[in-house]
Amino acid sequence: MTITINHYLIVSFLLFSIGFLGVLVRRNFLTVLMSIELMLNAVNLNLIAFSRRLSDLTGQVFAVFVITIAAGEAAIGLALTISLFRQRKTLNVEEADTMKG
Amino acid sequence: MKNALFLVPLFPLVGFLANGLLYALGARPARRDFKHDPHGEQAAAESGKDEGHPHAHMHGETHPRFKSIHSFIGVGSVALSVLFAFGAIFDVGVGTLASGGSHVITLYRWIALGVNQSTSQVPGKAAEWFVDVALRLDSLSALMIAFVTFVGFLIHVYSIGYMGHDRGYGRYFAYLNLFMFSMLVLVLASNFLLLFVGWEGVGLCSYLLIGYDYHKKFAADAGKKAFVVNRIGDFGFILGIFGIFALFGTLDFGQVFATAAATPERFAPYLTLVCLCLFVGACGKSAQVPLYVWLPDAMAGPTPVSALIHAATMVTAGVYMVARCNVLFRLAPDAMLVVAVIGGFTALFAATIGLAQNDIKKVLAYSTVSQLGYMFLACGVGAFVAGMFHVMTHAFFKACLFLGSGSVIHALSGEQDIRKMGGLGLKIRTTYITFLIATLAIAGVPFLAGFFSKDAILAAVFEAHFSQAPWLGKTLWAAALFTAGLTAFYMFRLVSLTFWGTYRGSREEEAHIHESPRSMTVPLVILAFLSIVGGYVGVPIVKGGDQIGKFLSPILLPLAGGEAHAHEAAVSAELLLMAASVAVATVGILLAFFWYAKGNGEVPRRIAAAWPGVYQAVYNKYYVDEFYDAVFVEGLGKGGGRLLWDFDRSVVDGAVNSVALLTRAFSWVASAFDQYVVDGAVNGVADTIQAGYQVFRKAQTGRVQNYALVMGAGLFCVVMAYLLFR
Amino acid sequence: MTAASNVLLTGGAGWVFVILSVLALFCAVAVVVARNPVHSALFLLAAFLLVACIFILQQAEFVGAVQILVYAGGIMVLFLFVIMLVHQRTVRGSLAFQNQFDVALLFLPLFLAPFLYVLGTEKLPEIPSTPDALRMIGGRVVGNTEAVSWMLYREYLLPFEVASVFLLVAMIGAVVLGKRTMDKVD
């Protein structure tokens, strides 16, 4: 089976779009966060593929950074979740519409 | 002396200013100055006789010192005028004047229009037109100023006595002087415009002097009436002046008449209208039908005023003007016809009214109107010289008559009704004799002044020939003859009722009867004398007797291509005519004597009772005044005023109001437009945006996922765009 | 050494990749679809592991290892902690999905179509590639980890430090945000 860079791109894109869909669709805040992680992973996949193609380590280094940032962002997001839960007693994103209008 | 001609009108003007100023600045007595006037106004007001009487003076003595100043200035100025007038006449030379010489002195350029101002050439075109204040002394004006100043002087002297007890003494003399000034300007003027200035001036003074007793309503009304009726005549006169200017391009007498005489055929077609307009003015000023109505009412003024203005001078201004313009009139035979007919008709008409009047001054007033009719009749048939002759003799005897009546009134302390007089001949001798002489003169008794002048007129009328109506000449003569008889009759009726018979007044009045002072009787004597000798300048038939005719003939310029003289009658015809007029006069005198002096008025009373309608009509002056009042005053004046007021209210105000309504409608439309369209647009924009944002607001759900969806959609669009347009 | 760069895997490795990617995609879908958040978390964990395998397949061993350590070992643990903490229950049916579910689902194929088309048909240019470039430092083959760290501490030192500062900030932030009570200001 010959796998070209295109395949990698398609996979990464599909992963990304699933994650995007999850952000749009899910009502639970935690699930939304998890979908965001998925999107980040898709990006990493892309980076690695291109790194291989271009025989350049930059892609991998970058992917490391992405992971780092993802970790930090997940930490913050989860802390926010807890804080949100304490305030509203709900994790329904649809109810976070105080900026409505 | 002749260059000092301007002094002749100037002296009375100065007198007017001085007297007027003095009076205005306080020469009047104080209202209740009992110290100075023992007769006091209150006393006068309480005396019932003066109150109701039409001719009571405003009692209240002027301070004696002021009185003498006023008289001195007033009489003195006119005396100087007399001197200078005669001086100028003799300086130029009676002979020179008689042979057509004229002396013109130009005082200054009054109206100067156009380029050619420095030369004294008479311009032909209006671009070089000018009017000078210039005085002209020729035979006609010399005659006029001679008797105007002299008679005026006598009347001024008379006034000292007559108006002695009057409050407004200074005012009276001021006005009288102003009148003299205006009359002299009128007579001496050398162009139509200056003549008109004098014309208006005498009209004004007539108003001022008739309404002298302005406290009395009928006097004030009479003054107004005189002025208004005069004004109607003046309107015609002005139109005539316009016509003359339009035809000749100048208003100077010399130029106009010379041009007209030299080339009559150029002007003749238009002159009828112009002369008729001028004659309208003469009718107003000289009280001819239909503008005579002011003269009888003018008797409300003081008697010397009546004598001066309404007998001797102002009323003759019309005749003077017609005589002055004889060249123009002779070129307009139709106008002459009108003049003659109106003159003759007025003479007869006024004489009939005079028959039934009971006020001494009214009789004399109608007599004046009648005699003026004679003068115009003479002018109308072409006998301008005869007309002017009669003007002069009439001035003498009519002034004498008026002053005499004033003397009678003064003697009776204000009584004017001849029914209450009688038998005064023995009591006031001087007055009676002078009055009688003047009456004989006016009646046409031979060898007195009136005889010669009236006879000249009758002769001329008899010989008159009108191509339009050949029967007219003799008819007018018959009417004039009959009028002469009527004149004799009513004048002797007056004399009989006043001086003959027995006194019909009350006892205490009879006790008060006194002769007038010397200041009043001396002028009477002088005038009576003139009434006798004044006619000898115009003796007919006798060779060289017609001095006045010779003297005045130059004013009758020869017309190119026309006849130069009026018809001359044959000697025998003349004598027959004279006999006829004497006969008629005798009949009149005898009738009056028998009916009134001897018969105590029995026969006239029966006649009046037999024909009450006729008597009433004549006594009430044929109701002419009532007719004028109804038609002109009520009808045109007030009715016209009402009509105009209604017009103003309905049409004019209607127009204005509808404009206002239109404006309001427009403003409503504009406001509606502003409210609905403009504000609608503005509010509409705001409302649209407001509605819009309500829609867009829904996009702000506050949910991040919704925003993310939209972002994704946007991304998709961008990518699609890129892909499609790569 | 010039080799066609576009081809990344051949033969059996290719099939491995296919299996791995299919499984990863399936797990991803499961994350999105699962009602129970714990299920979502576990499926996510599986996805992470599978993606790490794909990384290793591409000679990115270090990144793969880091993925497993950080993502699977750290982040997922965190997630699970929080899920436990907030007591999320299984939500039934459609209540798991937002109101815009229909719109989003409708939008998905539109989103996918052009990208997939492009990505599938795009012919990227061929460039020469060095087979062991990912594990060499200056020509010496030292292994992927060493090569990556060589890059990390030389060319990308600054971003490295910045990343550590970021982690510090995140740590502090998380602590602050997670404090139990903040006095309410009335």
Side-chain angles (χ1 to χ4, degrees), chain A residues 27 84 88-98, chain B residues 702-703:
Chain A
R27 209 172 263 183
L84 187 70
R88 298 295 184 97
K89 297 288 181 282
T90 177
L91 284 179
N92 191 345
V93 296
E94 282 191 338
E95 289 178 27
D97 60 353
T98 51
Chain B
R703 297 180 193 150

Side-chain angles (χ1 to χ4, degrees), chain B residues 32-120:
Chain B
R32 277 177 223 190
D33 200 356
F34 287 116
K35 235 194 323 169
H36 286 288
D37 57 334
H39 298 292
E41 250 181 278
Q42 289 196 323
E46 276 151 29
S47 77
K49 182 153 62 167
D50 292 33
E51 193 51 50
H53 214 279
H55 195 67
H57 297 303
M58 287 193 290
H59 272 269
E61 196 88 29
T62 319
H63 196 280
R65 191 148 25 99
F66 282 127
K67 219 170 89 169
S68 50
I69 293 178
H70 283 309
S71 349
F72 182 71
I73 294 175
V75 178
S77 56
V78 182
L80 286 171
S81 274
V82 175
L83 284 172
F84 277 90
F86 279 102
I89 293 173
F90 287 120
D91 195 18
V92 176
V94 177
T96 321
L97 288 173
S99 49
S102 65
H103 178 71
V104 177
I105 58 167
T106 308
L107 292 174
Y108 67 93
R109 182 136 299 175
W110 182 19
I111 305 172
L113 301 171
V115 248
N116 209 1
Q117 293 174 20
S118 56
T119 68
S120 58

Side-chain angles (χ1 to χ4, degrees), chain C residues 22 34 48 50 58 66 76 94 98 134 167 170 179 181 183:
Chain C
V22 167
F48 285 157
L50 288 164
Q58 282 300 321
V66 167
M76 287 329 296
S94 60
Q98 291 188 33
L134 297 177
L167 284 172
K179 276 172 80 103
T181 45
D183 290 328

